Amino acid sequence: MSTAKTISSALISVFSKDGLEPIVQKLHEHGVTLYSTGGTETFIKDLGIPVVPVEDVTSYPSILGGRVKTLHPKVFGGILNRQDHEGDVQQMTEYNIPQIDLVIVDLYPFEKTVASGASEADIIEKIDIGGISLIRAAAKNFKDTVIVASVDDYALFLETITNNNCATTLEERRLFATKAFHTSSHYDTAIFNYFNTNETYYKESVANGQVLRYGENPHQKGFFFGEFDKMFSKLHGKELSYNNLLDVDAAVNLIAEFKNDAPTFAILKHNNACGIATRETVKEAYLDALAGDPTSAFGGVLITNTKIDRAAAEEITKLFCEVVIAPAYDDDAVAILEEKKNRIILVQHDVALPEKQVRTCLNGLLVQDRDNITDNKEHFKTVTITAPTEQEVEDLVFASKVCKHTKSNTIVFAKNKQLLASGTGETSRVDALRHAVEKAGSFNFSLEGAVMASDAFFPFPDCVELAKNAGITAVVQPGGSIKDELSINYCNENGVSMVFTGTRHFKH
């Protein structure tokens, strides 16, 4: 038995008329009876195409300021009837209910209205009732009824009926029903989140998933759900991978700490900064960032808070790197960077990041607020006899920003607003410190007069002792250990300054 059904009647009630005209024309060519309401009815009439007002079917006008137009048994009976069900067929005749084979709906723009800063009264009026009901009814009855639930699906539907003489298969109707249920669930999620004040409820709906080449490893499938094109303009290069995106995310979060600072350049590898520096020019910032760890920089992600000029591009292009990110580029800089075919060049736009962070955990999700606290000198409480110098304070702020975006346990060494070394992701803070000392030495950095940042408190004085022996003169840490005095006393006895921030910055 064929599952193909020819459309003979359609109910069209849409907010957006964009792209609707060719569909209406095509339906008219095939002799489809059109039913409609309000502005859509006027739109169809203006095309010179016959249309039956819904109130002629229901014997009720649009009431309550347009809040009730299609909510009527004759409308929903026409959509929900089962054409192979004897009882339904009899009742369709008994109550003079017209068959409706196709429903086209485009909902009121609730999300756009909220985003516009409209009043609550205007927002409430953009909660679609009739449209959402039509969508669910037609999608439920996809066996007999076609549902086109969004302007985004107009093109696909027009192609379908053009290729099939205004008929659809069961598989096509199921596909449109799937899209419709996505539309309705996404819409309801947006409404719920507008009203929701209970943080123990979590709902999210993200459309337009992008298929990636693979996930973290080639045997894993990978997808990105988000609006990448709002955050970046891609000027050049291959498609971004799952791992590229993780590094880009880490880079964007790190450089945000330096948004209003002098030219700052960071190089990241495996979500951690292997080099970062703040200088007078972007070229100088890049070169000093690269000096922090030129070995790890190979194949890394590069990001800056300022425009990349020709001088910087000429240096950057000497390095094999996966991604370069900047808020702007000089034209000749882009031309230089494009010389490497696969290098990804992104322009970063000023877009707010989500306030909630989400990750899978066990058989559920972990959700937390974004760490929006950036340590600065106003947060510093000097707890030692010796206070940090003005230059040390600047370096402590710099080191603390980097430390916040480095995997725990972490220790960061910095001097003159340059990352000298870091110990990242260690199971022991002492091991992180030893690793950082060893790494600084491997790249010929002297730690004399450098500062140290820690993402969490020191339970024992061993870390400050090791740091002092390496040449560190100032330390920033959150404090809060019951044995803080042990570290403070060691610093006092050895002329090291230490400040507490009161804020821990674990990053797992």
Side-chain angles (χ1 to χ4, degrees), residues 15 107-110 113 121-128 187 191:
F15 182 86
L107 298 168
Y108 294 157
F110 179 82
T113 304
D122 288 339
I123 290 169
I124 297 303
E125 288 308 310
K126 288 300 184 289
I127 298 176
D128 207 314
Y187 196 77
I191 294 170

Side-chain angles (χ1 to χ4, degrees), residues 403-415:
C403 190
K404 173 184 170 182
H405 293 277
T406 307
K407 295 288 186 180
S408 300
N409 287 319
T410 186
I411 292 291
V412 167
F413 295 146
K415 186 176 181 180

Side-chain angles (χ1 to χ4, degrees), residues 25 37 46 57 113 115 120 221 281 285 309 350 464 488-489 503:
Q25 295 283 9
T37 63
D46 289 345
V57 176
T113 304
E120 180 157 280
K221 289 183 179 179
T281 70
D309 57 21
D350 191 9
V464 289
I488 294 171
N489 290 339
T503 303

